[in-house]
């Protein structure tokens, strides 16, 4: 059954257009409240948000919707998405709600939900909510309305949680770091965590005004971090996205490290400590070099669909702990129930501190394969899978690449496009193969 409002990561869109409107958010809060009351007599939910100007409006509408269904609300104010997941679990709330559009520009916003265990909720729960959205509201009477209150120490609680994920016998003393908070939800929390662990801190992207979230800063625009690391002669730079669940890192030479490389560092550090790592999970887009490097150490590598929720599902099904995406969504399930940019950065800095090696040295075994992505625009109603000679061309490319590369053809989830990705040890070969496939789709 298809979903009307929920995508791969909650509900997201442009503010002022359905579903990101105050009237829909009131209905959504009411519908979610009614679903919760099937399991709890007096549910309580925790709501956090990023720094977008629209967060105030959506927060108020959701709060009213929950209250109208008889649900109590605990408000944290600006807090990273993983902070909401943590506090939902720590404070025994029945649901966590995040108002954020993650790495999108300020004109967008969205809603994510976490279970009482701090985990992403399954498709079945989202379908239940959508079914109730189609029903008339059932307002509770005045005696049974929900209450709302603010949690004053939310940031302090989350800072201590992040610090606890870093080894107690190590510190960051002697390390100079640039922290880029993307003018987003981590703008107060992130600098505090690294400072309190002993690092010298320079901060950028930490002056949100409601409109500048992810604007030329953060994990999706790391050039600002590269420049700041060089300017301040820092050892490393850490870039988060708007809701602080993604991570990109930069070293003193200005080299950028993506989530694929950082996942390898996390796995290798566990192995170096003598811990058992039966396997790791990436996605269909994870660079093949990571798979090759892990298999060389007898670590099984599995690819999930694109999206951190699918990485999490695969890890949970296999009982594994480590996974992630090249975008910087990284999971260490013995540290947190969801992706956390700050906690992930601490795991990488822990590996650096413990090994005495630089980040460049830690990823020497991973030489990223050149990756070429071609977007093929579809005509209205075009059935791209039936393109003449597609199967024949695909088979020929796969034979040519052999074990030295791979290809992926998948439709965009948001645009009328088919994405053709080819990676190979040889950049020219990857480009030529991608163009051959794209031409076949266009014919």
């Amino acid at each position: 059954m298809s979903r009307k409002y929920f995508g791969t990561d909650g509900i997201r869109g442009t503010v002022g257009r359905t579903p990101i409107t105050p009237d829909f958010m009131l209905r959504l809060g009411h519908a979610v409240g009614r679903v919760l009351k099937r399991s709890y007599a007096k549910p309580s939910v925790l709501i956090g948000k990023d720094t977008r100007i629209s967060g105030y409006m959506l927060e108020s509408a959701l709060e009213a919707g929950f209250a109208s269904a008889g649900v109590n609300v605990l408000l944290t104010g600006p807090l990273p998405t993983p902070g909401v997941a943590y506090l939902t679990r720590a404070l025994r709330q029945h649901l966590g709600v995040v108002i954020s559009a993650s790495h999108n520009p300020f004109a967008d916003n969205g809603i994510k939900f976490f279970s009482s265990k701090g985990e992403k909720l399954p498709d079945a729960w989202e379908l239940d909510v959508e079914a109730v959205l189609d029903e008339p509201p059932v307002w509770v009477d005045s005696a049974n309305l929900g209450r709302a209150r603010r949690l004053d120490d939310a940031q302090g609680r989350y800072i201590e949680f992040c610090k606890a994920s870093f080894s107690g016998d190590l510190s960051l003393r002697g390390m100079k770091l640039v922290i880029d908070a993307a003018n987003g939800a981590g703008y107060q929390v992130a600098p505090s965590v690294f400072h309190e662990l002993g690092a010298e801190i320079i901060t950028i992207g930490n002056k949100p005004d409601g409109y500048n979230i992810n604007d030329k800063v953060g994990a999706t625009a790391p050039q600002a971090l590269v420049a700041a690391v060089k300017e301040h002669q820092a050892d490393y730079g850490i870039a988060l996205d708007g809701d602080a669940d993604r991570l990109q890192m930069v070293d003193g030479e200005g080299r950028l490290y993506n989530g694929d490389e950082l996942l390898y560092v996390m796995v290798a550090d566990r192995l170096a400590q003598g811990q058992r790592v039966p396997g790791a999970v990436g996605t269909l887009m994870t660079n093949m070099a990571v798979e090759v490097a892990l298999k060389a150490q007898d670590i099984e590598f599995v690819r999930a669909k694109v999206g951190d929720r699918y990485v999490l599902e695969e890890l949970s099904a296999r009982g594994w702990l480590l996974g992630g995406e090249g975008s910087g969504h990284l999971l260490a399930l013995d540290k947190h129930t969801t992706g956390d940019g700050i906690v992930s950065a601490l795991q990488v800095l822990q590996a650096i501190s413990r090994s005495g090696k630089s980040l460049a040295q830690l990823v020497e075994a991973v030489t990223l394969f050149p990756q070429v992505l071609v977007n093929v625009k579809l005509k209205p109603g075009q059935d791209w899978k039936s393109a003449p000679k597609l199967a024949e061309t695909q088979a020929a490319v796969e034979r040519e690449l052999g074990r030295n590369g791979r290809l992926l053809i998948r439709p965009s989830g948001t645009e009328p496009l088919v994405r053709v990705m080819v990676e190979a040890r040889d950049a020219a070969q990857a480009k030529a193969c991608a163009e051959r496939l794209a031409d076949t789709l266009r014919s």
Side-chain angles (χ1 to χ4, degrees):
M1 183 178 177
S2 62
R3 292 170 296 178
K4 185 176 179 181
Y5 299 111
F6 285 88
T8 56
D9 196 20
I11 298 172
R12 191 177 300 183
T14 301
V15 176
R17 299 179 191 167
T18 301
I20 312 300
T21 59
D23 58 323
F24 178 84
M25 291 299 152
L26 189 147
R27 288 173 49 215
L28 178 63
H30 182 80
V32 171
R34 286 178 58 193
V35 170
L36 284 174
K37 291 190 77 172
R38 294 173 183 172
S39 304
Y40 309 103
K42 192 66 174 179
S44 181
V45 304
L46 183 137
I47 302 179
K49 61 183 180 179
D50 65 21
T51 55
R52 293 164 213 269
I53 187 70
S54 58
Y56 295 97
M57 174 182 74
L58 301 182
E59 179 185 61
S60 297
L62 280 169
E63 178 188 330
F66 280 120
S68 73
V71 177
N72 290 330
V73 174
L74 192 56
L75 301 166
T76 71
L79 193 71
T81 289
V84 173
Y86 162 65
L87 286 174
T88 299
R89 177 167 49 94
L91 298 176
R92 308 301 193 267
Q93 298 293 291
H94 299 114
L95 189 75
V97 185
V98 180
I99 304 169
S100 176
S102 188
H103 58 280
N104 288 28
F106 89 94
D108 292 343
N109 217 327
I111 309 295
K112 305 179 192 181
F113 295 97
F114 289 96
S115 74
S116 59
K117 296 180 180 179
E119 299 171 346
K120 296 280 181 74
L121 286 149
D123 292 352
W125 182 87
E126 294 175 352
L127 289 170
D128 283 346
V129 171
E130 294 210 346
V132 177
L133 276 166
D134 290 334
E135 299 173 1
V138 181
W139 317 113
V140 301
D141 59 29
S142 295
N144 292 298
L145 289 170
R147 298 173 181 268
R149 64 184 179 92
R150 295 217 165 255
L151 180 65
D152 294 329
D153 60 345
Q155 292 190 0
R157 289 173 184 248
Y158 177 57
I159 287 169
E160 291 306 312
F161 167 77
C162 291
K163 287 163 55 182
S165 72
F166 190 78
S167 179
D169 61 349
L170 298 173
S171 82
L172 298 178
R173 287 188 182 87
M175 196 175 284
K176 189 175 185 180
L177 302 176
V178 178
I179 311 298
D180 180 353
N183 292 317
Y187 79 102
Q188 290 179 308
V189 168
S192 296
V193 170
F194 297 100
H195 171 72
E196 290 180 21
L197 287 171
E200 180 185 348
I201 296 296
I202 297 101
T203 54
I204 64 173
N206 67 322
K207 292 181 171 57
D209 60 10
Y211 308 97
N212 60 2
I213 189 170
N214 301 312
D215 185 12
K216 301 181 181 65
V217 287
T220 53
Q223 298 78 13
L225 180 64
V226 171
V229 167
K230 289 181 177 178
E231 177 189 350
H232 295 283
Q233 298 183 321
D235 297 301
Y236 294 100
I238 293 163
L240 307 172
D241 66 337
D243 69 336
D245 63 357
R246 287 192 189 195
L247 168 69
Q248 303 280 298
M249 290 186 68
V250 173
D251 68 13
E253 302 299 315
R255 178 182 168 185
L256 181 67
Y257 298 81
N258 70 10
D260 291 346
E261 295 168 296
L262 301 179
L263 172 60
Y264 175 81
V265 170
M266 288 166 59
V267 173
D269 180 54
R270 303 296 179 93
L271 292 174
Q273 301 312 306
Q275 297 179 31
R276 181 175 174 269
V277 182
V281 176
T283 74
L284 296 172
M285 297 300 290
T286 301
N287 196 283
M288 192 172 177
V290 176
E291 181 175 1
V292 171
L294 291 176
K295 285 184 175 179
Q297 299 189 59
D298 294 322
I299 303 296
E300 187 177 352
F301 183 79
V302 172
R303 294 179 184 274
K305 289 189 295 183
V306 175
D308 62 310
R309 69 183 293 176
Y310 301 114
V311 175
L312 176 59
E313 286 176 6
E314 197 68 48
L315 287 171
S316 299
R318 294 171 179 270
W320 296 352
L321 299 175
L322 302 174
E325 300 184 278
S327 62
H329 281 123
L330 297 168
L331 289 155
L333 295 185
D334 55 345
K335 303 297 180 182
H336 203 343
T337 55
T338 191
D340 188 318
I342 297 173
V343 169
S344 297
L346 290 174
Q347 301 312 295
V348 175
L349 294 175
Q350 184 172 265
I352 293 168
S353 298
R354 196 163 10 219
S355 68
K357 296 180 179 180
S358 68
L359 188 48
Q361 290 172 322
L362 291 174
V363 299
E364 279 179 342
V366 183
T367 303
L368 296 179
F369 285 24
Q371 198 174 75
V372 176
L373 181 66
V374 180
N375 291 324
V376 180
K377 192 168 184 178
L378 296 175
K379 299 170 186 174
Q382 180 181 345
D383 181 10
W384 63 272
K385 292 182 180 178
S386 63
K389 297 187 177 180
L390 175 60
E392 180 183 328
T393 305
Q394 185 170 343
V397 168
E398 287 174 340
R399 284 195 301 271
E400 179 182 333
L401 294 173
R403 294 185 177 181
N404 293 311
R406 67 186 187 97
L407 67 90
L408 176 67
I409 303 175
R410 68 182 185 95
S412 166
T414 56
E415 302 172 87
L417 299 171
V418 172
R419 305 194 193 280
V420 177
M421 188 277 290
V422 177
E423 59 184 13
R425 292 185 187 276
D426 179 76
Q429 182 186 32
K431 187 174 187 299
C433 288
E435 289 296 343
R436 277 169 59 193
L437 287 161
D439 288 344
T440 302
L441 283 167
R442 294 187 188 107
S443 62

